[in-house]
Amino acid sequence: MARQERAVRTRRVILEAAATVFDERGYDAATIADILSRAGVTKGALYFHFTSKLELARGVLDEQFSQGGVPHRESKLQELVDVAMVLTVRMMREPMLSAGARLSLGPGMRKVFGGGSVPGWIDFTRLLLAEAKAGGELLPHVDPDETAWLLSACWAGAQIYSQTLNSRADMEERVAAVYQHVYPGIATPATLGRLDLAADRGRRVTAEIGAGAGAGVGRTDGCPGAEAAAGPGGDGPGSHGGDGPGAGSAPERVSVPALF
């Protein structure tokens, strides 16, 4: 049993080292030697768990599926914002997640990884938008399929631009601005007035998740929802009421696909 636990820990150390190297250098420039140096393990230990750099990269992408989701919201448009904003917070803190973004979105990576987590993110966005439309949250002309592609592309673009131009220092503001600009064109006025689209939304939902976990709240399997802690939200951008965290008892998590 002790040997098995040690093997699990070693595998995790190797994956975290690989994620850091992939995030810093990209897939093509990263080397096994770089990962060994960062992990502080022997070559034999690394090759016991992973046979190649490609397998390490796939392991980093697969690891994203082990994370939990955000709490369910009555408003599916709010739920979608919460996922995006929590992911934004986590990407600034977790090399495993930001490496997944680089592996998914880097030039030429489609041939290697088949688009990584991009198809899952588009599909997840489409499903929530379809639920929002069924619940009367969307304007009549809105096509969930087309909007999912556009919205997910805007989210990815904001994150890439923020990383390129400002080392992600303004990523929360930039991602929030995507939803602040897009939602007025797709949401009904009544729905829009209840949404919390503030730039600090992700931090507050992350806090809520952490508080719920501490209270023993159940969770579903999914991906990048997040791990951490608490917050209110909901009567319009920047306000702390309505559909946001903090309303009522700790809510159940929603399952989320591996995002970036």
Side-chain angles (χ1 to χ4, degrees):
M1 189 63 179
R3 182 179 298 177
Q4 185 177 7
E5 290 174 357
R6 187 163 57 249
V8 170
R9 287 196 301 270
T10 300
R11 185 181 188 278
R12 181 69 188 185
V13 166
I14 294 168
L15 275 178
E16 289 177 350
T20 300
V21 173
F22 289 140
D23 193 34
E24 291 175 354
R25 306 188 184 185
Y27 178 78
D28 290 335
T31 67
I32 292 292
D34 294 331
I35 295 167
L36 283 171
S37 176
R38 190 66 61 97
V41 301
T42 65
K43 187 179 292 188
L46 186 148
Y47 281 111
F48 176 80
H49 293 282
F50 304 97
T51 61
S52 65
K53 184 173 77 169
L54 177 59
E55 194 169 306
L56 274 165
R58 292 192 188 281
V60 169
L61 287 170
D62 290 346
E63 189 66 20
Q64 296 176 74
F65 286 89
S66 68
Q67 307 302 324
V70 304
H72 284 283
R73 305 295 184 207
E74 182 179 347
S75 166
K76 295 306 163 185
L77 290 182
Q78 184 68 65
E79 199 167 291
L80 184 56
V81 170
D82 289 357
V83 170
M85 295 307 298
V86 166
L87 275 171
T88 299
V89 171
R90 288 187 58 209
M91 283 189 66
M92 296 188 293
R93 300 175 179 174
E94 301 176 30
M96 191 75 72
L97 194 62
S98 53
R102 187 157 186 173
L103 291 170
S104 296
L105 300 171
M109 290 298 97
R110 184 175 182 275
K111 292 181 180 178
V112 181
F113 303 113
S117 54
V118 173
W121 178 226
I122 294 173
D123 192 50
F124 174 74
T125 303
R126 180 187 62 77
L127 289 173
L128 276 186
L129 288 172
E131 288 186 53
K133 184 149 193 174
E137 295 185 66
L138 298 182
L139 295 169
H141 71 276
V142 177
D143 177 0
D145 289 351
E146 184 177 76
T147 306
W149 197 100
L150 177 65
L151 195 53
S152 59
C154 288
W155 187 92
Q159 133 312 86
I160 292 169
Y161 275 31
S162 176
Q163 179 179 12
T164 302
L165 300 176
N166 209 14
S167 300
R168 294 193 179 123
D170 61 348
M171 194 157 80
E172 288 171 285
E173 290 76 12
R174 298 301 185 183
V175 171
V178 167
Y179 293 89
Q180 291 164 6
H181 280 74
V182 172
Y183 270 19
I186 67 171
T188 64
T191 299
L192 190 64
R194 296 195 300 269
L195 300 178
D196 184 346
L197 309 179
D200 69 341
R201 175 68 177 182
R203 294 176 187 268
R204 289 185 277 114
V205 176
T206 297
E208 177 192 9
I209 294 166
V217 176
R219 56 186 289 174
T220 58
D221 290 334
C223 211
E227 312 121 348
D235 278 331
S239 65
H240 297 180
D243 227 348
S249 59
E252 181 185 354
R253 304 277 190 91
V254 61
S255 182
V256 183
L259 309 182
F260 303 123

